[in-house]
Amino acid sequence: PPIQNEAIVRPPPPIQHAPIVGPRWVPDISKAKRYAVRRAGDVSFAVIDWWGRIRGLHKSRTAPSASVVKVMLLVAYLRRPSVRNRVLRSADRALLRPMIRRSDDGAASQVTYLVGARRVEHLARVARMRDFRFNPVIWGTSQISPRDQARLMHRLERYVPGRHRRFALRQLAHIVPSQRWGIGRAAPSRWALYFKGGWGGGSGWVDHQVALLKHGLLRVSLAIFTYLNPSHAYGKQTLRGVAARLLHGLEGAIGRGR
């Protein structure tokens, strides 16, 4: 059944997006596809530009989420009726910070228990996800798709209560150095980067990343999934290669204008 006390809460004010007049840049889908199809394992991705146009490769293909689902757990926790309208306490911060910044699995399991499957699934419906399937018992095996996760990241602040948006973005901006691979190495320096990765215990089983990049009112989101990699190192290389090709020219675009 729907969660009634969430359904009647007024939605937050819309997030201001860039006007349609903006820099001339498009993600290099062709180069990213050519690179991806030459890589071992299954590679899929989706990218959304500041006009809201989505492109990609196997955008609807699902894969086990690993720790990427922790972004949804963070948002679902902050949307709880007992949390959304109050200042975060030290206990909240002590739980959420390690879950995102260093991808603490114990914290994620505790958040899953506190939030419950219904609230995570409610968030998926609010975000209009088409492919999401949550597994509350083994959350890392939840099924996600690039298109759903790219859309979530592109509109992330819309789903976080206003008073908690800064906190949520801060966690995603401060991933520990040892986990800042892939998009963390490929993102243009003048863009603010908010991202989360997921990996199969370092086995190469899955290596995923989801990200939001912001520069002023401009925003670009992407989700890159790799599945059945020969190794974790190989998966990280694939993530960086796809991200670098998709984001090629983004740094220079903001200096050129139209």
Side-chain angles (χ1 to χ4, degrees):
I3 301 173
Q4 298 298 330
N5 56 356
E6 286 193 2
I8 62 174
V9 174
R10 289 184 179 181
I15 302 301
Q16 189 176 15
H17 285 263
I20 195 68
V21 177
R24 291 179 179 174
W25 173 84
V26 292
D28 200 331
I29 302 297
S30 296
K31 283 187 178 179
K33 284 183 176 180
R34 287 197 297 270
Y35 175 81
V37 298
R38 294 196 303 266
R39 301 295 288 175
D42 296 330
V43 182
S44 57
F45 61 83
V47 57
I48 304 177
D49 63 20
W50 45 76
W51 286 280
R53 298 176 300 196
I54 184 168
R55 301 176 176 89
L57 172 68
H58 306 307
K59 300 187 299 293
S60 62
R61 177 191 285 172
T62 60
S65 68
S67 291
V68 165
V69 78
K70 290 172 183 173
V71 177
M72 294 184 67
L73 294 177
L74 169 68
V75 176
Y77 185 97
L78 296 174
R79 289 169 60 91
R80 295 170 68 199
S82 61
V83 175
R84 65 181 304 140
N85 294 316
R86 64 165 171 82
V87 174
L88 292 179
R89 299 166 184 153
S90 58
D92 302 313
R93 296 173 184 271
L95 186 61
L96 299 175
R97 278 175 174 162
M99 182 182 74
I100 298 299
R101 294 191 182 199
R102 57 183 176 85
S103 206
D104 185 272
D105 289 344
S109 295
Q110 189 173 351
V111 169
T112 300
Y113 173 76
L114 292 171
V115 170
R118 285 198 307 155
R119 295 196 189 282
V120 178
E121 291 162 356
H122 180 74
L123 171 61
R125 290 193 298 272
V126 170
R128 299 182 180 178
M129 293 186 178
R130 302 179 186 179
D131 313 306
F132 180 71
R133 298 293 181 272
F134 186 53
N135 183 344
V137 179
I138 308 175
W139 45 261
T141 63
S142 301
Q143 294 293 305
I144 59 174
S145 69
R147 65 179 179 182
D148 282 349
Q149 297 303 308
R151 288 185 179 121
L152 174 72
M153 296 303 290
H154 201 262
R155 305 165 181 164
L156 186 64
E157 299 102 304
R158 294 186 184 184
Y159 308 124
V160 179
R163 71 184 307 152
H164 299 320
R165 286 174 187 158
R166 184 176 179 181
F167 172 83
L169 289 176
R170 185 169 178 79
Q171 307 321 303
L172 295 165
H174 287 83
I175 302 299
V176 295
S178 62
Q179 297 175 15
R180 298 187 71 85
W181 29 262
I183 180 66
R185 303 290 185 184
S189 60
R190 288 191 291 168
W191 288 71
L193 173 64
Y194 311 95
F195 77 108
K196 183 73 187 79
W199 57 97
S203 65
W205 175 57
V206 297
D207 284 292
H208 306 325
Q209 286 183 319
V210 297
L212 168 67
L213 295 94
K214 295 174 64 177
H215 182 87
L217 296 178
L218 302 175
R219 58 178 54 212
V220 175
S221 68
L222 63 160
I224 308 171
F225 292 4
T226 71
Y227 187 36
L228 302 177
N229 298 287
S231 68
H232 180 42
Y234 187 94
K236 291 193 293 184
Q237 185 181 26
T238 300
L239 290 169
R240 183 173 183 176
V242 173
R245 286 159 176 80
L246 287 175
L247 300 177
H248 178 71
L250 186 59
E251 186 78 299
I254 57 176
R256 293 194 303 268
R258 293 190 68 215

